[in-house]
């Protein structure tokens, strides 16, 4: 919509051009004003920004108008009628479409170089003479003639292109493109000069005029031809190779007439001797062979080359390396990736319903809590990381008020409603550090959105209704949890921890994880908490029994008993699902 408003404002420019200059639109940091090059505005011009205030006199009823200077804009670029300006961050937030602008800098005068060239060409041709009065004037299509000439120059040598442009100037002396053609001819003449100089250097016998790399190769070739004692066969340095992969080797023959048949000898590390294989010819100057990957094992691979000499009655001898002093290629160690370890990832999803007063949905001291997290075990330096989210929703209040109210409406002796409904949605990250093989420290910060409702007619989700939010309070709930586990993670262990969440409550817990049977994991937990609101503490006893018939998944059922005192207690339950891979 913002882009559309800018287009509409610019489209309406001719209709408001007669009015005082104003801000047409504001697009982020870009400010569009209806002043341009025709108004003497260009890059760097300064504009004063005025804001018009319109008020009505309460006494006389008259409409009063006045302007106030807000600051200065700096122009970044300009068209004929529109400019784009910028302002500093404070001023930019106060600019509105319709604000007036005044040019502070001195007006500038801009010249279109193309139009000047056309004017000069027209003036020059007009001065050269006009047709005599009464003479018949024949219309000449200058554009068509120039287009034909341009197409004729495509793919031609610079000299031919110059000749074609000169022909056009001769045939059409009044062409409006005379200055452009003159510049093109000058550019082509410079290209011809550069080309001729490069060709002259290439034909030069002076070594200083040659390309240094070409000169170096020529000198090296000359030295090779002069040194008759140089090896007949050359090979690029072979430093390392991968084990188990066939090794392709190629040799350059410097003097092909001096070599007949040739063989490659290789010896793998630990082999009793060398293995011979023929080298096949590839043209006149190359010999090639492929070493079997079974002989390419970790360690130094020894090799050398022997060949026959046709000039010496096929005498055979080493031409590169020898049996006593072979060349060596270092074969890398066989490094394989370890198999992907199982049990590195875990997903835990559980939900609990907690009822402290035993009245289920008719009570005022119960809540439900659901959490789901993903665990990945890095093993080191951080043993594991858990990422999760959860939600807690329920009602809480003073235990004495809830129990003493005979009307079961959580009213105190003065008739005031004392309970609150709480909704807390949060996310957390838990880091687990392995201090010793049987001792782990787990730290979990968490944060979320906390909503409380202290109205007696509170129901779940009422505060999410934008129409009726009386009694609702919204805040950020911050908390943390720390636990220490003694024992192996997947065996019998004891975890002790504590957590606190602002506005929700405190939780102290001790959980004993037991495996009476590999298929039946059991967890017994004792908690001391004042959740869902920081009021009275109570005790929870939780039993969790699972069924692990599969290696990657097992469900579990929770049963709990909680009490704040002997008369304020209840039974609850929950369930969980666990995934491992």
């Amino acid at each position: 919509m913002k882009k559309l408003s800018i287009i509409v404002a610019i489209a309406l420019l001719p209709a408001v051009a007669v009015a005082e200059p104003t801000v047409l639109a504001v697009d982020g940091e870009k400010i569009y004003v209806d002043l341009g090059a025709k108004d003497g505005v260009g890059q760097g011009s300064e504009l004063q920004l005025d804001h018009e205030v319109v008020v009505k006199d309460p006494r006389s009823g008259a409409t009063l108008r006045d302007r106030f200077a807000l600051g200065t804009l700096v122009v970044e670029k300009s068209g004929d009628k529109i400019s784009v300006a910028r302002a500093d961050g404070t001023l930019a937030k106060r600019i509105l479409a319709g604000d007036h602008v005044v040019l502070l800098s001195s007006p500038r005068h801009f010249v279109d170089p193309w139009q000047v060239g056309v004017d000069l060409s027209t003036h020059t041709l007009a001065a050269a003479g006009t047709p005599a009065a009464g003479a018949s004037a024949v219309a000449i299509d200058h554009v068509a003639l120039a287009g034909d000439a341009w197409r004729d120059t495509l793919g031609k040598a610079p000299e031919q292109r110059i000749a074609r442009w000169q022909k056009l100037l001769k045939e059409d002396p009044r062409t409006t493109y005379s200055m452009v053609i003159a510049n093109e001819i000058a550019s082509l003449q410079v290209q011809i000069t550069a080309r001729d100089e490069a060709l002259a250097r290439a034909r030069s016998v002076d070594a200083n005029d040659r390309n240094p790399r070409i000169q170096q190769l020529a000198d090296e070739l000359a030295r090779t031809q002069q040194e008759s004692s140089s090896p007949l066969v050359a090979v690029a340095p072979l430093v390392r190779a991968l084990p188990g992969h066939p090794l392709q080797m190629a040799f350059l023959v410097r003097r092909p007439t001096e070599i007949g048949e040739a063989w490659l000898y290789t010896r793998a590390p630990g082999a009793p001797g060398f293995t011979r294989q023929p080298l096949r010819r590839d043209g006149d100057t190359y010999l090639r062979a492929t070493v079997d990957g079974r002989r390419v094992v970790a360690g130094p691979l020894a090799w050398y080359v022997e060949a026959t000499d046709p000039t010496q009655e096929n005498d055979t001898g080493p031409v590169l390396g020898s049996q006593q002093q072979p060349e060596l290629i270092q074969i890398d160690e066989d490094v394989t990736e370890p198999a992907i370890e199982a049990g590195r990832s875990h997903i835990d999803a559980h939900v609990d319903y907690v009822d402290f007063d035993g009245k289920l949905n008719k009570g005022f001291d119960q809540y439900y809590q659901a959490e789901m997290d993903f665990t990945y075990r890095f093993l080191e330096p951080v043993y594991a990381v858990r990422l999760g989210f959860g939600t807690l929703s329920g009602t809480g209040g003073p235990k004495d008020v809830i129990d003493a109210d005979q009307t079961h409406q959580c009213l105190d002796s003065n008739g005031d409603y004392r309970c609150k409904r709480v909704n807390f949605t949060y996310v957390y990250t838990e880091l687990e550090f392995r201090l010793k093989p049987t001792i782990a420290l787990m730290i979990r910060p968490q944060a979320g959105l906390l909503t409380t409702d202290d109205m007696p007619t509170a129901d779940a989700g009422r505060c999410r209704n934008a129409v009726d939010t009386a009694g609702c309070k919204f805040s950020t709930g911050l908390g943390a949890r720390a636990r220490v586990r003694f024992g192996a993670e997947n065996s019998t262990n004891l975890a002790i921890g504590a957590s606190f969440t602002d506005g929700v409550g405190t939780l102290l817990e001790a959980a004993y994880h037991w495996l009476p049977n590999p298929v039946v994991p059991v967890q017994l937990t004792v908690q001391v908490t004042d959740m869902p609101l920081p009021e009275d503490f109570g005790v929870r006893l939780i039993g969790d029994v699972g069924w692990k018939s599969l290696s990657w998944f097992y469900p579990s059922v929770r049963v709990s008993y909680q009490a704040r005192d002997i008369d304020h207690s209840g039974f609850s339950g929950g369930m969980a699902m666990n995934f491992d891979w």
Side-chain angles (χ1 to χ4, degrees):
M1 289 299 294
K2 181 179 291 186
K3 298 293 185 182
L4 179 59
S5 63
I6 295 174
I7 295 172
V8 172
I10 295 175
L12 293 177
L13 177 62
V16 299
V18 295
E20 297 184 21
T22 60
V23 174
L24 297 176
V26 179
D27 182 14
E29 298 180 351
K30 297 180 180 180
I31 304 158
Y32 297 85
V33 298
D34 59 345
L35 286 175
K38 291 186 176 181
D39 303 299
V41 176
Q43 183 180 9
S45 295
E46 295 185 350
L47 307 176
Q48 176 178 304
L49 178 69
D50 294 339
H51 182 66
E52 184 175 11
V53 178
V54 181
V55 297
K56 188 174 184 179
D57 191 334
R59 297 168 300 178
S60 63
T63 299
L64 306 178
R65 299 174 181 272
D66 207 344
R67 294 184 185 177
F68 298 91
L70 296 182
T72 303
L73 307 179
V74 179
V75 175
E76 285 198 339
K77 55 185 177 181
S78 295
D80 286 344
K81 300 179 181 180
I82 299 175
S83 297
V84 181
R86 289 185 183 270
D88 58 38
T90 304
L91 178 59
K93 298 178 181 179
R94 302 174 59 188
I95 300 175
L96 299 174
D99 287 344
H100 296 272
V101 290
V102 179
L103 177 60
L104 294 179
S105 306
S106 300
R108 302 183 181 182
H109 178 64
F110 298 93
V111 177
D112 186 345
W114 175 259
Q115 186 61 44
V116 171
V118 173
D119 293 342
L120 289 176
S121 298
T122 304
H123 177 73
T124 302
L125 294 173
T130 58
S136 60
V138 179
I140 299 177
D141 190 346
H142 301 290
V143 176
L145 293 175
D148 293 339
W150 174 75
R151 283 186 287 272
D152 291 342
T153 62
L154 297 179
K156 301 296 180 61
E159 292 86 354
Q160 295 174 307
R161 297 170 65 184
I162 290 176
R164 184 61 182 90
W165 287 123
Q166 290 175 343
K167 179 182 178 183
L168 173 63
L169 293 177
K170 184 177 180 180
E171 294 175 348
D172 185 14
R174 296 179 180 274
T175 179
T176 55
Y177 303 104
S178 58
M179 293 190 65
V180 177
I181 294 172
N183 292 336
E184 176 67 10
I185 293 175
S187 174
L188 292 170
Q189 290 174 340
V190 171
Q191 296 176 34
I192 292 173
T193 302
R195 181 200 61 190
D196 293 342
E197 291 177 354
L199 292 174
R201 286 194 299 270
R203 291 191 294 265
S204 175
V205 295
D206 187 352
N208 295 326
D209 289 341
R210 297 184 182 179
N211 184 291
R213 174 61 178 164
I214 295 177
Q215 183 62 37
Q216 179 183 357
L217 294 175
D219 295 342
E220 183 177 348
L221 180 60
R223 287 194 300 270
T224 302
Q225 293 175 344
Q226 293 174 0
E227 296 174 0
S228 58
S229 60
S230 61
L232 292 175
V233 177
V235 65
L238 301 174
V239 181
R240 311 189 70 86
L242 296 177
H245 292 261
L247 180 61
Q248 297 182 355
M249 302 184 68
F251 302 91
L252 172 66
V253 180
R254 287 195 172 98
R255 296 184 292 279
T257 58
E258 299 182 17
I259 284 186
E261 294 184 276
W263 299 269
L264 172 65
Y265 292 81
T266 57
R267 184 182 64 195
F274 286 88
T275 300
R276 188 177 85 160
Q277 63 185 103
L279 285 169
R280 67 181 184 278
R281 286 191 175 274
D282 183 3
D284 293 334
T285 58
Y286 285 97
L287 297 172
R288 298 183 185 275
T290 300
V291 181
D292 192 334
R294 291 173 295 182
R295 297 203 301 273
V296 183
V297 296
L301 175 68
W303 64 273
Y304 67 95
V305 175
E306 283 189 351
T308 60
D309 185 359
T311 62
Q312 300 293 330
E313 297 182 356
N314 291 330
D315 183 25
T316 302
V319 293
L320 190 60
S322 64
Q323 184 175 3
Q324 292 74 25
Q325 294 182 334
E327 303 287 337
L328 299 177
I329 302 175
Q330 185 64 37
I331 309 300
D332 292 340
E333 295 290 336
D334 189 4
V335 179
T336 58
E337 287 285 339
I340 299 177
E341 297 185 26
R344 297 288 287 269
S345 302
H346 176 78
I347 291 180
D348 177 22
H350 62 268
V351 59
D352 283 311
Y353 176 74
V354 183
D355 186 0
F356 272 98
D357 60 0
K359 299 177 183 177
L360 300 179
N361 62 339
K362 297 181 180 179
F364 288 91
D365 193 3
Q366 66 267 316
Y367 65 91
Y368 76 84
Q369 184 175 17
E371 285 188 355
M372 182 174 181
D373 59 47
F374 169 75
T375 301
Y376 187 80
R377 299 174 179 88
F378 292 95
L379 305 184
E380 60 181 20
V382 178
Y383 179 76
V385 175
R386 294 177 183 86
L387 304 176
F389 64 92
T391 180
L392 183 148
S393 179
T395 305
K399 172 181 66 65
D400 295 338
V401 174
I402 296 174
D403 294 341
D405 183 15
Q406 299 299 321
T407 65
H408 305 294
Q409 297 180 12
C410 195
L411 302 178
D412 61 13
S413 59
N414 296 325
D416 295 330
Y417 180 71
R418 296 290 302 280
C419 289
K420 292 182 181 180
R421 173 169 287 277
V422 59
N423 286 279
F424 181 46
T425 303
Y426 55 95
V427 295
Y428 58 86
T429 300
E430 184 173 74
L431 301 178
E432 180 175 340
F433 301 92
R434 184 63 62 90
L435 305 180
K436 290 184 178 181
T438 57
I439 300 178
L441 173 63
M442 293 162 282
I443 300 175
R444 182 178 102 175
Q446 65 183 29
L449 176 62
L450 176 63
T451 304
T452 57
D453 187 355
D454 57 9
M455 296 295 287
T457 59
D459 57 70
R462 187 185 73 87
C463 290
R464 292 194 294 268
N465 185 357
V467 178
D468 180 16
T469 58
C472 297
K473 181 181 178 182
F474 305 92
S475 61
T476 301
L478 301 177
R481 178 184 182 185
R483 294 183 295 164
V484 179
R485 183 177 62 237
F486 302 93
E489 179 185 10
N490 296 320
S491 183
T492 301
N493 61 71
L494 174 65
I496 301 175
S499 66
F500 169 77
T501 303
D502 187 23
V504 178
T506 302
L507 174 67
L508 307 175
E509 63 179 337
Y512 177 70
H513 185 268
W514 178 38
L515 287 174
N517 186 289
V519 181
V520 185
V522 177
Q523 182 170 288
L524 304 176
T525 306
V526 179
Q527 295 182 346
V528 178
T529 180
D530 58 352
M531 295 164 54
L533 289 173
E535 291 287 352
D536 304 299
F537 279 92
V539 177
R540 295 191 64 205
L541 303 177
I542 308 169
D544 186 305
V545 180
W547 182 258
K548 198 171 184 179
S549 60
L550 300 175
S551 61
W552 59 273
F553 167 74
Y554 74 90
S556 65
V557 178
R558 301 183 182 212
V559 178
S560 66
Y561 172 79
Q562 45 275 328
R564 301 208 190 270
D565 60 27
I566 192 65
D567 298 319
H568 194 94
S569 62
F571 286 92
S572 301
M575 62 178 297
M577 292 185 294
N578 298 270
F579 302 85
D580 291 282
W581 71 93

